[in-house]
Each structure stands twice: as structure tokens, then as C-alpha cells.
Amino acid sequence: MSISQPVLDHLETPCLLVDLPRVERNIHRLRRRASELKVDLRPHLKTVKSVDMARMVLEGTPAKATVSTLSEAEAFAEAGVQDILYAVGISPQKLDRVLTIRKKGSDVSILLDSVAQAQAVAAKCAATGHSFPVYIEIDCDGHRSGLAPTDPALKTIAEILERDGAEVRGVLTHAGESYGVIGTAAHADFSEKERAATVQAATLLRQAGFACPEVSVGSTPTAHAVTDLTGVTELRAGVYTFFDLVMAGIGVCGTDDIALSVLTTVIGHQHDKGWILVDAGWMAMSRDRGTATQQVDQGYGLVCDLDGVPIADLIVEACNQEHGTVTLRSGSQSPLPDLPLGTRLRILPNHACATAAQHNGYHLLSPDPALHGQFWPRISGW
């Protein structure tokens, strides 16, 4: 997309840009997939963390959302989102905040994977007379947390919850290890691990007399590769809205799908070292080095011109707090481009969630004059 120079010229750098046509294309891609697979899409809003952006993500889908912080839950509930899954293991101290959001009318469900958590939720139900809907987390790949799908603790947890009035809303898993493999076939294998583990756990609970209506799976790599969701009711993904270099590196998207970039300015040169200095350091890009272990290491980000077209082999090789060092990647035969002082560039990030978290909002790039140049604020805090 050709970018209107005046819109970018007046922005202070570094700042965050979003290419809205790419966002729309990415959203529709996964929306179509969920429709074809006949499951609800429950987008994870931890990437966008914006009420305005969430309206784009949720439009035309069932009114379901996933969040990673209660600050997100509060903001999205206030904006009218009615069905919110707080998909981080619950701690007892956060139940009062969850209860406050629920009493305002939003159906916020919580996640847990231990008897201790279940006991804390049951105690809060008994003390308040309020029923909390709960997803039980299932471990499908040893990534981080959750119970094995045949763990006897599943029934124990369900019994504790429903004895004191909580609701076993469903089971949930996330194949985080899918980020470590490359290609559709490998991601599809992990998607089947998600499906099989959750369906097995749900079957165990239902046979024990618990309704367990929801079976929730998803990660961005598996959501784009899955072909069979028999027994699953909802699909979750988050970074698909923007994509990033990590997702491109494992074959989920191309660099021309990445909708998020950091606008930066050339502030100096070290000609004898082959360095171009920009004003986007790790405070603008984050310290995420997610491509370091991939086949192509993109440093701290891939450098593009103002139209978002990558400049051959040019990366942010190193970062200090407010300085980025732009160089040619190791082994490149390309000439170092002539980028005079004051030149504006765009940098594609390794991890969209981490880079976006460094900024307070998005400057929009759109062919629609009513949207082009608008600023959409982000939600911060926990």
C-alpha cells in the first residue's frame, strides 16, 4: 500500500503503525477457517489490547473473546463484550475483580488446573453465593501448565467446583510447542494433539456426570493448520491479527502479511563499521529475540521502506535502550543502502505482542481517508 507521506512525516518516532488492510485480511482468513470447521472463534485479544481494534476482530463472529489480563477484561466488558475467557491460571486474590466484572453483566470465565485453585474458587462461591464458570486447563504437549487428559485430578477438581456452586464450563488447551516447529504439516500434528487431549478430557468429565459444554483449543500456528476439529466447540488464536517475524519464520504467514511495524528515524551513522543508527531501541522494539533460533535470524527486526517493503538483508542487528543499530545481516552480498540522516523507516517486529506492549497505541495506515492517520489507544497494566 502506498503511504501518504504527510501522515508519517508529522509523527514523532519511534511509534507504532498498523496496516489496516493487512489486519482485515488476516482476520478474515481465520474467520473463514473457523466457519469451515464449524466451530466458534474466540479471538485472543492480548495482542491487540485495544477496544477499537477488538471491534474489528470480533465483528461478524460470535461474541466471544479471550484475554490475558483483568485490565483487558475490564476494558472489553465496559465496551460491551459479553463473553470473556480470562485464560491465565486464576489466583485467589483476583477473584474479587472477576466478580466485580461479572456483576456488571459480562460473563467472565476463569481458568485453573489444580485442586488448590478449585478449592479457592469453591470457597469464594460459598462465601458470595455467586457461581463462577471455570475452564480446566489440559496439557497437550508439556509446554507450560495443565493436567494430563486422564489425570484423576480432573474429576476431583470438577467435584470440588460444582459442590459449592461453580460451573465446569469446559476444558482448554494451548499447544505452545507448535511455535517451535516449521510448516503446515508439523503444525497440523500439534493441532491434533490439542483436539485429542481436550476431547479425551471432556469425555472423561461427561462420563462422570459433568456437562462440560465447551472444548477450547488453539494457538496461531495450529489454528491455521488444523483440518479436523471433531468434538471441539471453539478455536482460539491471538497474534494472527498482526502476525510477526516469528510466525513468518515458522511458515504460518509471509512478511507481506505482517500488519504491525515501528516507524523510526535515522539519527546517525558509523560508516567504518557499516552501521546506521535509528531511534528505535529495545524500548520501542522490545527485547524479544524470537527469531534467534530460527533458520533466519532477523535480529531485533526487519527494516523496510515507508511502504513496508523489506530492504534487502537490512535488519536491526543490536539494540540499546533508545538506539537501534541497523546493519546488513551476516554473509549478505547486498550493498549497504544510502539512508541519510532523517530518513524514515519501518521495522517489522519479531513478536507483535511484545513490541506493541512498548507503545500506548496505534497510528493507522488505511486507504480509507476517514481512518488513515487515526490513533487508537491500547490497554495497559494487569
Side-chain angles (χ1 to χ4, degrees):
M1 179 178 67
S2 181
I3 302 304
S4 170
Q5 285 282 351
V7 170
L8 297 185
D9 285 347
H10 83 277
L11 295 176
E12 293 287 343
T13 60
C15 65
L16 201 59
L17 305 178
V18 167
D19 186 322
L20 279 188
R22 292 187 182 188
V23 173
E24 291 170 348
R25 189 173 72 209
N26 296 340
I27 289 170
H28 287 296
R29 175 183 169 187
L30 191 59
R31 190 178 293 166
R32 285 193 304 270
R33 189 163 198 84
S35 177
E36 291 165 357
L37 292 165
K38 296 180 171 55
V39 295
D40 291 341
L41 183 60
R42 186 186 282 277
H44 205 316
L45 301 179
K46 68 173 184 175
T47 301
V48 299
K49 281 184 183 281
S50 159
V51 169
D52 298 291
M53 198 68 71
R55 291 192 177 105
M56 287 183 61
V57 176
L58 297 177
E59 183 183 3
T61 68
K64 290 184 170 186
T66 313
V67 299
S68 62
T69 70
L70 289 179
S71 289
E72 294 166 44
E74 288 161 347
F76 295 130
E78 184 69 23
V81 181
Q82 294 297 302
D83 185 344
I84 299 173
L85 167 59
Y86 174 43
V88 175
I90 194 67
S91 63
Q93 296 87 345
K94 293 180 179 179
L95 288 170
D96 284 334
R97 281 180 76 187
V98 174
L99 181 57
T100 297
I101 303 169
R102 287 185 55 78
K103 285 184 174 179
K104 291 181 179 179
S106 184
D107 183 17
V108 180
S109 50
I110 57 178
L111 180 68
L112 53 79
D113 67 352
S114 72
V115 168
Q117 289 170 305
Q119 289 170 335
V121 172
K124 182 61 73 171
C125 289
T128 62
H130 187 89
S131 178
F132 289 86
V134 175
Y135 283 72
I136 302 174
E137 186 170 8
I138 305 303
D139 177 11
C140 71
D141 63 358
H143 174 66
R144 183 173 55 205
S145 53
L147 297 169
T150 57
D151 193 320
L154 275 170
K155 288 193 288 186
T156 303
I157 287 170
E159 288 165 357
I160 292 168
L161 291 170
E162 297 212 344
R163 181 185 63 214
D164 285 309
E167 174 198 352
V168 178
R169 177 69 59 84
V171 291
L172 171 153
T173 198
H174 167 68
E177 293 301 299
S178 65
Y179 289 73
V181 298
I182 300 172
T184 301
H187 296 143
D189 287 343
F190 272 98
S191 73
E192 176 55 21
K193 290 181 180 180
E194 288 182 327
R195 191 199 69 81
T198 50
V199 170
Q200 186 177 20
T203 299
L204 184 151
L205 288 170
R206 290 164 183 163
Q207 289 174 345
F210 303 99
C212 191
E214 299 287 1
V215 178
S216 182
V217 303
S219 69
T220 288
T222 58
H224 289 79
V226 64
T227 58
D228 178 16
L229 285 179
T230 302
V232 170
T233 63
E234 59 184 35
L235 183 65
R236 305 183 327 280
V239 76
Y240 76 97
T241 52
F242 294 154
F243 284 126
D244 53 30
L245 292 172
V246 167
M247 290 295 104
I250 61 174
V252 182
C253 68
T255 55
D256 59 350
D257 294 314
I258 300 174
L260 191 75
S261 61
V262 173
L263 181 68
T264 188
T265 303
V266 174
I267 60 173
H269 301 82
Q270 291 286 343
H271 295 290
D272 58 332
K273 297 177 181 178
W275 293 357
I276 300 166
L277 302 178
V278 297
D279 62 358
W282 55 256
M283 283 294 286
M285 297 305 304
S286 88
R287 281 198 177 277
D288 195 292
R289 288 282 287 107
T291 61
T293 58
Q294 293 186 342
Q295 292 177 343
V296 178
D297 184 353
Q298 304 283 16
Y300 285 86
L302 185 61
V303 180
C304 302
D305 64 19
L306 275 187
D307 287 331
V309 178
I311 300 173
D313 289 334
L314 206 63
I315 62 171
V316 182
E317 190 272 336
C319 275
N320 299 113
Q321 184 165 331
E322 303 295 350
H323 293 73
T325 302
V326 173
T327 67
L328 293 170
R329 68 174 76 254
S330 178
S332 172
Q333 301 302 308
S334 299
L336 186 70
D338 180 21
L339 300 174
L341 186 71
T343 300
R344 295 281 176 113
L345 301 166
R346 290 165 64 182
I347 305 170
L348 303 182
N350 282 320
H351 185 179
C353 304
T355 296
Q358 305 300 110
H359 300 261
N360 63 2
Y362 308 104
H363 297 272
L364 307 186
L365 305 178
S366 173
D368 182 350
L371 292 172
H372 193 53
Q374 279 195 22
F375 179 79
W376 285 357
R378 280 175 50 86
I379 299 159
S380 62
W382 286 266

